[in-house]
Amino acid sequence: MTARNKKRNNNKTQILLRYTIISLGLLLVSLAVIIKLFEATVVDAGAWNERARKELSKVSKIAPERGNILASNGNILACNLKVYDIMLDLRHNKIAKLRQIPWQSVDSLADSLDRYFPRRADLNAHPDTFAKYTWHKKLREELEKEPGKRRSNLRIAAKRSLDDFEQVRNFPFLRDFKGSGFRIPVYKNARDIRIYPYGKMAYRSIGRVNESFETGEFHGYSGLEKDLDSLLYGQPGLTKKVALTSGITNWTDKPPVRGYDIVTTIDIDIQDMLEQELLKVCQEARAEWGTAIIMEVETGEIKAISNIELLSDGSYGEALNRAVIAYEPGSVMKPISLMIAFEDGLVKTVNDMVDCSPFQRTSDPHGSGPKNMKQVIEQSSNTGISRVIFRGYASDPSKFHDRLASIGFFEPMRSGIADEERPRVRKLLPKDSRGNNITMTARHLDLARQAYGYNTMIPPIYTIAYYNAIANKGKMVRPHLVRSLRDEHGRDSVVKAGYIREHVCSEETAEKVKQCIREVVWGSHGTARLVQDDRVEIAGKTGTAYPVEGGVYNHAKRRYAFAGFFPYSEPRYTCMALVMGPSGTSANRTSGQIVKNIALKMYSRGMLGNSSNYAQERSATTPLLAASTSSSDSRLSKAIGASRARKISAASATEPGLVPDVRGYDAPSAIRILEKAGLNVRVRGSGRVASQSAAPGSRFRRGDKITLSLRI
């Protein structure tokens, strides 16, 4: 055999050996596959089937969209907003494959991030402090790491809009990767947040929500958000895994049902006025806190409710919803006691007399002579109202509690405000809870105190409800915050509040008590004479009480209350204000002024049935809803209505004590500027301000009147 043939045979042998080895390898692999397939389909079939069954039987919840809370005119008070957390993927393969990091582009990216999304909000911080948190430092720290150790979820900004996301994608360094396909260096995580476009307006009444760490669900923890959570939350949907030819996928078995929108009774304009007046009076009186509530007489709708409290930094902010917390009411209880006295026949007419000499350790600071019922309420006589109540309940003081119960005094109000307390009035039984005898003298003393508002605990919302019944001819409608429910299809279901009692007293009794209450403001010895104003006839009652601290009365502080209604002849609104302040002032000068100023502002805006109605001319107050806080949004908001802002700022900049020039203004803007300056405004005609009775720049005293003549 030649050498050439021999070499050819050796090559052939080697090739056949290789094929044999490869064939044996493939055979072994095939055998292993067959064995594994046999194990999976026969031996372990039960276990795999059970695992598949468990996977396919999993049912997950789909969170529903939470309903909105709306004002009476449809303005949004609380709603959901989809926002995005903007994330940066520094492990992205295109970044990892870079031979050299383009530090110049990275520095440009850091400059853009520091400008629009700084890692700390305070850009005016000390340079050393700011350098510690700059994006230059953070990006360099990450990009100098090995590609596998870099972060794939570096958060650039939280709770941002899609516009912000698109802005980031076009930043230097990132725009080069914009079209990289399935995965890009910058991405977004969507989530829903609850926002309140009007900020702290009616904060405690609207409420807030909390996110559960376990389920990720949002549920209310205060206010309407809590009380109506089951309606706002909606019904969760269900999703499960299903096997399709293309693989296992999620299948919506039951779609979620969106929560109801809650249409409240809140009037944005009245709410704004109430908050301004409550804040102003609390600041002037150096008050610890204040609460106020306005309701519509005929319907019982709560049009505004506000609570403010002195914070540790010396400013005022929303705190406890004290409108539903029980306090000793003081003398605002007297008209309710008088209503019972008229109904029970203890007194017949407003001119019936009663001896007001010292009685049950109580003396009358306004004199101890005989007084009629108007004078008893006008001068807030403790002895007078006590002697009247004793005519019917001295023999059995426990029946006074029963009489209060008969007019619904202890029934739940169900106003829609969370954490609502009920009145607490001790039933004056012959024995205490331990079975010890209580002397009639002690029971009589307690009865006298209950008659004029001590030894009792009543939330302001209950007090205002009974004053509203007096203004409403004895009909006691339920104070309520919810007007209707709106489903996901926009259909409204009106919520009927109904009556606590169809009548707590007769129409005749209501009229008698109403006449007595009027004297508090308009009588020559009334305790609220400073509430008088000839534009709006207000009727109401003052009340003062000391807070109990450490089991004793603190005489360095007082709670000043005023409850009343207006206009007197045809009451439209009932209002109550309660202010906790230092001793030395009065309900006449604090809570009474809140009610007075609100009534005058409503009159100026034509909201009391008077002819000067400027509802058509008012500019919209609906806020701009936006998730972004970027400077571009700020510039846009500044550009909108810039001329109007310049005009108002010019008038507002007038030297204090000088009459602002509001000629050419629309009526609402002119009224707002003049009232802020301290003037009482009257308006004539319609349209814009053509002239004003006080010359611009002239001096005035706070409370002076000014008349505006309007022309279309």
Side-chain angles (χ1 to χ4, degrees), residues 259-554:
Y260 283 99
D261 286 344
I262 306 296
V263 182
T264 71
T265 60
I266 294 291
D267 184 300
I268 292 296
D269 297 323
I270 299 177
Q271 180 71 37
D272 186 46
M273 288 186 279
L274 182 66
E275 292 185 358
Q276 288 181 22
E277 293 305 322
L278 181 63
L279 176 61
K280 182 174 71 174
V281 169
C282 285
Q283 288 174 333
E284 292 173 352
R286 296 174 290 115
E288 287 188 13
W289 54 260
T291 183
I293 184 169
I294 299 176
M295 63 183 285
E296 198 170 56
V297 170
E298 186 176 358
T299 64
E301 290 188 351
I302 296 172
K303 310 309 292 185
I305 183 170
S306 181
N307 299 271
I308 63 172
E309 191 152 346
L310 184 63
L311 306 179
S312 57
D313 62 358
S315 64
Y316 283 92
E318 279 274 356
L320 292 175
N321 196 343
R322 299 183 184 273
V324 292
I325 298 177
Y327 300 100
E328 272 190 332
S331 294
V332 291
M333 179 66 183
K334 289 171 183 171
I336 301 174
S337 297
L338 182 60
M339 179 185 73
I340 291 174
F342 276 126
E343 278 292 283
D344 291 353
L346 308 183
V347 284
K348 302 293 185 182
T349 71
V350 295
N351 295 316
D352 283 3
M353 306 299 289
V354 64
D355 179 13
C356 295
S357 58
F359 179 70
Q360 293 296 324
R361 302 183 190 175
T362 301
S363 60
D364 191 342
H366 298 281
S368 58
K371 294 181 175 69
N372 62 33
M373 294 304 103
K374 284 186 177 182
Q375 292 168 329
V376 166
I377 299 300
E378 173 191 356
Q379 300 175 29
S380 198
S381 172
N382 292 343
T383 56
I385 196 66
S386 299
R387 287 184 181 275
V388 168
I389 289 299
F390 266 57
R391 293 177 182 180
Y393 298 98
S395 60
D396 188 354
S398 67
K399 288 185 177 179
F400 186 66
H401 178 281
D402 297 337
R403 187 66 178 90
L404 290 172
S406 70
I407 58 173
F409 207 73
F410 306 107
E411 295 180 12
M413 193 67 69
R414 296 196 296 274
S415 62
I417 305 174
D419 304 319
E420 179 186 281
E421 295 182 4
R422 299 191 202 180
R424 300 190 294 275
V425 180
R426 186 161 57 90
K427 192 167 185 177
L428 305 176
L429 298 169
K431 295 181 181 292
D432 62 19
S433 58
R434 298 180 180 179
N436 299 321
N437 291 327
I438 302 175
T439 64
M440 184 59 79
T441 301
R443 294 170 68 197
H444 278 167
L445 178 60
D446 285 342
L447 176 61
R449 291 170 61 79
Q450 288 180 358
Y452 57 77
Y454 283 81
N455 201 22
T456 63
M457 302 290 281
I458 305 172
I461 195 168
Y462 275 80
T463 304
I464 196 176
Y466 282 90
Y467 274 71
N468 195 78
I470 294 167
N472 198 25
K473 302 178 181 179
K475 299 176 183 177
M476 191 172 182
V477 292
R478 187 179 301 280
H480 59 283
L481 263 177
V482 179
R483 176 180 288 178
S484 65
L485 306 178
R486 184 174 297 166
D487 65 18
E488 58 185 343
H489 303 294
R491 295 177 299 223
D492 278 0
S493 301
V494 177
V495 177
K496 294 183 179 180
Y499 293 95
I500 296 175
R501 287 289 187 278
E502 188 167 350
H503 283 89
V504 293
C505 67
S506 66
E507 187 173 337
E508 293 75 18
T509 291
E511 181 59 32
K512 293 173 187 176
V513 179
K514 187 178 166 187
Q515 291 175 23
C516 295
I517 293 175
R518 181 187 181 279
E519 296 303 304
V520 177
V521 177
W522 299 93
S524 57
H525 297 90
T527 58
R529 295 191 299 280
L530 290 178
V531 180
Q532 288 182 23
D533 192 282
D534 59 0
R535 287 166 291 178
V536 183
E537 191 174 8
I538 302 171
K541 181 70 184 76
T542 55
T544 305
Y546 296 106
V548 176
E549 296 179 359
V552 296
Y553 286 113
N554 182 351

Side-chain angles (χ1 to χ4, degrees), residues 64-345:
E65 182 183 354
R66 191 173 182 85
N68 301 327
I69 299 179
L70 310 174
S72 58
N73 64 351
N75 285 4
I76 296 174
L77 300 176
C79 66
N80 302 311
L81 186 67
K82 190 170 288 297
V83 294
Y84 304 89
D85 292 340
I86 305 174
M87 318 294 288
L88 191 62
D89 181 9
L90 297 179
R91 288 189 196 175
H92 190 273
N93 56 357
K94 285 208 170 186
I95 297 179
K97 289 178 181 178
L98 291 174
R99 295 180 180 178
Q100 186 176 0
I101 301 295
W103 292 112
Q104 187 174 355
S105 295
V106 172
D107 287 341
S108 296
L109 170 62
D111 287 338
S112 298
L113 292 176
D114 282 337
R115 172 67 180 85
Y116 293 101
F117 307 101
R119 297 184 64 209
R120 286 294 182 272
D122 186 7
L123 298 179
N124 298 318
H126 189 276
D128 295 338
T129 304
F130 180 71
K132 180 181 178 181
Y133 295 106
T134 180
W135 278 106
H136 288 267
K137 179 179 176 63
K138 185 63 178 178
L139 291 177
R140 282 187 173 272
E141 285 179 354
E142 290 294 329
L143 290 172
E144 286 174 352
K145 297 177 182 177
E146 293 293 326
K149 295 182 179 179
R150 296 170 187 163
R151 293 183 61 177
S152 62
N153 60 346
L154 179 62
R155 188 168 70 181
I156 292 174
K159 301 179 182 179
R160 296 288 174 161
S161 69
L162 280 174
D163 289 341
D164 293 324
F165 175 67
E166 291 300 326
Q167 182 184 23
V168 171
R169 291 183 69 186
N170 286 288
F171 281 169
F173 183 63
L174 297 180
R175 60 175 165 238
D176 301 329
F177 303 96
K178 187 175 179 181
S180 60
F182 174 72
R183 200 173 179 205
I184 58 176
V186 60
Y187 62 96
K188 61 185 182 298
N189 290 332
R191 56 177 167 143
D192 288 328
I193 61 171
R194 193 73 165 168
I195 66 168
Y196 302 87
Y198 286 94
K200 294 292 186 179
M201 180 175 284
Y203 168 64
R204 286 289 172 181
S205 302
I206 296 167
R208 290 298 184 265
V209 297
N210 259 346
E211 183 179 5
S212 169
F213 290 107
E214 297 179 356
T215 64
E217 297 176 353
F218 285 93
H219 290 284
Y221 73 87
S222 66
L224 286 175
E225 295 274 26
K226 176 182 177 181
D227 275 10
L228 304 175
D229 184 70
S230 60
L231 295 171
L232 287 164
Y233 180 71
Q235 299 177 18
L238 299 176
T239 181
K240 62 182 181 181
K241 303 282 187 182
V242 294
L244 302 176
T245 54
S246 58
I248 296 177
T249 187
N250 289 324
W251 181 271
T252 300
D253 196 39
K254 176 185 175 183
V257 178
R258 185 183 184 278
Y260 283 99
D261 286 344
I262 306 296
V263 182
T264 71
T265 60
I266 294 291
D267 184 300
I268 292 296
D269 297 323
I270 299 177
Q271 180 71 37
D272 186 46
M273 288 186 279
L274 182 66
E275 292 185 358
Q276 288 181 22
E277 293 305 322
L278 181 63
L279 176 61
K280 182 174 71 174
V281 169
C282 285
Q283 288 174 333
E284 292 173 352
R286 296 174 290 115
E288 287 188 13
W289 54 260
T291 183
I293 184 169
I294 299 176
M295 63 183 285
E296 198 170 56
V297 170
E298 186 176 358
T299 64
E301 290 188 351
I302 296 172
K303 310 309 292 185
I305 183 170
S306 181
N307 299 271
I308 63 172
E309 191 152 346
L310 184 63
L311 306 179
S312 57
D313 62 358
S315 64
Y316 283 92
E318 279 274 356
L320 292 175
N321 196 343
R322 299 183 184 273
V324 292
I325 298 177
Y327 300 100
E328 272 190 332
S331 294
V332 291
M333 179 66 183
K334 289 171 183 171
I336 301 174
S337 297
L338 182 60
M339 179 185 73
I340 291 174
F342 276 126
E343 278 292 283
D344 291 353

Side-chain angles (χ1 to χ4, degrees), residues 650-672:
S652 301
T654 303
E655 180 184 340
L658 300 182
V659 176
D661 185 1
V662 294
R663 291 171 296 184
Y665 281 63
D666 61 281
S669 298
I671 293 169
R672 184 165 55 251

